[in-house]
Amino acid sequence: MELITKAPKGTRDIIPGESEKWALVEDVMAGEAELNGFSEIRTPVFEHTELFERSVGDTTDVVEKQMYTFTDKGGRSITLRPEGTAGAVRAMLENGMYNNGFPIKMYYKTSCYRYEKPQAGRMRELHQFGVEMFGAAEPAADAQVILLGKSIFERLGLGDDVQVAINSIGCPTCRAEYHKALKTYFTAHREELCETCNSRLERNPMRILDCKSPVCGEIAKAAPKILDYLCDDCRAHFEKVQSLLTAVGVEFTVDPGIVRGLDYYTRTVFEFISTRFGYALGGGGRYDGLVEEIGGKPTPALGFGLGFDRIMLALEEFGAEFPDDGKCELYIAAMGETAQVKAFQLVNALHRCGVAADCDLCARGLKAQMKYADKIRAPYTIVLGDNELESGRAELKNMKTGEKKKISIGEDFIDAYLAETTAQEDLSF
């Protein structure tokens, strides 16, 4: 077999058998978010390019190198979303959600698109779970969001592996002095910096700290630390965040090297780092100036994003156990056309009562049908033939124990089936 094309480089299919695992992880994340008062939002997969240029920052790798941008048939510049926050802010403003009072809490399960070299846990189509909170300026909001992320990893069984690392990158006022110090320091190393970092030196020297070049990274180790330049308000905010995390038993480290990769961050920034893999499984922080930058009134905001791809790799590495039960509870095999019609009717009745069931759809013989029932791990089977149709009763077989019981296949079939199985479905409509 020769396909006319394959999935684009940096993308992958999440196929049955794997997608169920992803769905379970998504449910854990969404459940924890909802416990903290967050509600789901869904935004378009593409936005006007200016949204990301204004929000993400034109000195970031995302905007400079990684965005999937194209001109649509109306001559507009459109970009596939490279991250989730900007679209959430735009949606909050455009839909007037601020009229419902603060804080506004939202979460999303989404795909983002960045043109970069694919590697394990980092694809061009990356899957992300994110939360955003608007209108809460207090350090308690920072602590709650960090605690939410930590609790998600604990629920997933990764709590012992994930370390919380935090930092403060200050506000625009105190960061201005820090930028001066960075510019002075990096100017002395200008000849050693990569071409990209030289361009950042004038526009945003802080971006150099996030450069992936080993040479630039080594130079950055001795650069001035932002914590030495925080104003009194930013310092007090950061200390309060730390005290709140300590109060609820969250262990963390302060890492002055965390600046995050996007320009909109202010004050608290943080990452959830896998100690086994040595890289972040997610991260986030405050972005108090972003809402105003996009066109709204000054509004404090913060959030985080977790990388599904890396988290699934971590779960696989740690041998996470997922339910291995088949979806089909009852498979009804049939011999002959009349029996096939009856099987189809019974399966439809089961579906209407919320019971997962199936029958042959491929004109297979009885042996092949039973082999298929075994393959899909159906815990119960029924075989219908002329004798069963004539008597109105058939054998319900427990595929694990081999036990067989005769049940009615008439109008009381559903009651008869449920009485003989361990199904505990809620049959209310």
Side-chain angles (χ1 to χ4, degrees), residues 258-396:
I258 297 177
V259 296
R260 303 299 294 151
L262 309 176
D263 280 353
Y264 52 60
Y265 285 112
T266 58
R267 287 194 168 178
T268 307
V269 290
F270 54 88
E271 291 184 345
F272 302 105
I273 300 172
S274 168
T275 56
R276 175 172 293 196
F277 291 106
Y279 54 60
L281 301 180
R286 276 202 167 271
Y287 49 91
D288 290 343
L290 182 56
V291 175
E292 186 177 11
E293 180 70 23
I294 291 178
K297 295 180 180 180
T299 305
L302 69 158
F304 67 65
L306 306 181
F308 266 114
D309 304 271
R310 285 185 171 183
I311 289 173
M312 297 308 293
L313 283 176
L315 289 171
E316 181 180 346
E317 177 70 18
F318 279 86
E321 295 185 3
F322 291 90
D324 193 34
D325 296 331
K327 291 182 178 180
C328 179
E329 296 178 30
L330 172 64
Y331 185 87
I332 303 179
M335 297 181 290
E337 185 175 344
T338 304
Q340 289 173 354
V341 172
K342 183 65 175 180
F344 191 79
Q345 291 173 330
L346 295 178
V347 165
N348 180 61
L350 288 163
H351 290 170
R352 292 171 64 84
C353 291
V355 178
D358 209 349
C359 60
D360 182 49
L361 302 174
C362 298
R364 286 180 280 228
L366 179 60
K367 185 177 180 179
Q369 290 182 58
M370 298 308 293
K371 187 175 181 180
Y372 178 74
D374 186 61
K375 182 176 292 187
I376 63 174
R377 302 188 301 279
Y380 293 93
T381 61
I382 288 176
V383 175
L384 297 182
D386 292 340
N387 291 337
E388 286 76 19
L389 295 178
E390 183 177 346
S391 67
R393 296 175 65 80
E395 285 188 338
L396 175 69

Side-chain angles (χ1 to χ4, degrees), residues 18-95:
E18 187 178 8
S19 60
E20 291 86 352
K21 298 177 182 179
W22 281 61
L24 285 172
V25 173
E26 289 174 350
D27 288 345
V28 169
M29 294 176 169
E32 287 297 305
E34 289 171 1
L35 282 177
N36 284 265
F38 289 77
S39 299
E40 186 178 10
I41 184 171
R42 304 186 185 191
T43 59
V45 71
F46 57 85
E47 301 270 3
H48 293 288
T49 302
E50 61 187 303
L51 174 66
F52 300 116
E53 290 178 339
R54 291 284 296 275
S55 62
V56 175
D58 60 3
T59 63
T60 63
D61 281 349
V62 172
V63 171
E64 289 184 330
K65 304 176 181 179
Q66 298 174 355
M67 294 204 311
Y68 279 89
T69 299
F70 60 93
T71 301
D72 71 6
K73 293 183 178 181
R76 294 169 289 260
S77 181
I78 298 295
T79 295
L80 299 181
R81 61 172 168 240
E83 54 86 48
T85 298
V89 175
R90 193 266 313 144
M92 185 273 293
L93 293 173
E94 186 171 345
N95 292 281

